Amino acid sequence: MTSKVTYTGELRTSCVHLRSGNEFITDAPIDNNGLGEAFSPTDTVATGLASCILTMMGIKANGLEVNLKGTVAEVTKHMASEPRRISKIEIVLSLPEAVSEKHRKILIHTANTCPVHYSLHPDIEKVITFNWVL
C-alpha cells in the first residue's frame, strides 16, 4: 500500500504516505462547495505533473553533471465542466541559464516523457514552457 486517505468531514481529506508518515490535506475548492484552504484533489494532480517533471529532470541532470538546484515550476490548472475535469495544465519552468544547448534538449525530452505526463488522459492539454533564466 502506498498511502492512506481519510475523509475528515467538511469536504476535506487527510492523506498519509505510509512509508514516510508525511501527511497533507486536501479541500474541495471554493467553486465546488469547499473551503479552499488547501490543495484540491485536482490541484494535487496538476502539481504532481510539475513535481514529476522536476524529479525526472533532476535524475537526468545528475547523470549529466548538471546542477538544476533552484529550478522553479509555476503551475496553472484549468477546469472544464460536464463532466467536471482538468482540461489543461500549464507549467512554466525557470531553469539555470548556464545549461548547454545539448543538455537543454535532453532535459526537455526528459520532462515531456515523465511518468505522470504519460499517465494523464490524452485529452488534458499540457503546456510546458522552459525559461532558461536563473
Side-chain angles (χ1 to χ4, degrees), residues 33-67:
N33 303 309
L35 300 173
E37 294 176 348
F39 282 100
S40 72
T42 54
D43 291 342
T44 66
V45 171
T47 301
L49 176 58
S51 179
C52 188
I53 286 169
L54 290 175
T55 300
M56 296 309 296
M57 288 177 74
I59 291 167
K60 182 60 77 174
N62 285 344
L64 299 171
E65 297 182 359
V66 171
N67 184 355

Side-chain angles (χ1 to χ4, degrees), residues 1 3 20 22 26-27 30-31 43 54 69 89 111 117 131:
M1 202 168 22
S3 62
S20 68
N22 286 329
T26 67
D27 272 342
I30 293 171
D31 68 347
D43 291 342
L54 290 175
K69 189 172 182 178
I89 300 171
H117 195 285
N131 294 323

Side-chain angles (χ1 to χ4, degrees), residues 4 14 18 25-26 28 31 35 43 50 52 58 65 69 73 88 90 94-95 115 122 124-125:
K4 181 178 177 182
S14 172
L18 295 177
I25 62 168
T26 67
D31 68 347
L35 300 173
D43 291 342
C52 188
E65 297 182 359
K69 189 172 182 178
K88 180 179 181 180
E90 295 178 87
S94 297
L95 302 114
I124 298 174
E125 183 181 358

Side-chain angles (χ1 to χ4, degrees), residues 87-105:
S87 59
K88 180 179 181 180
I89 300 171
E90 295 178 87
I91 299 174
V92 177
L93 295 160
S94 297
L95 302 114
E97 187 176 11
V99 176
S100 72
E101 191 62 35
K102 176 183 175 184
H103 288 157
R104 287 180 185 193
K105 287 179 182 178

Side-chain angles (χ1 to χ4, degrees), residues 11 34 46 81 83 85 89 95 100 104 108 114 116 119 121:
L11 308 180
S81 58
R85 68 198 179 284
I89 300 171
L95 302 114
S100 72
R104 287 180 185 193
I108 289 169
C114 81
V116 171
S119 298
H121 194 282

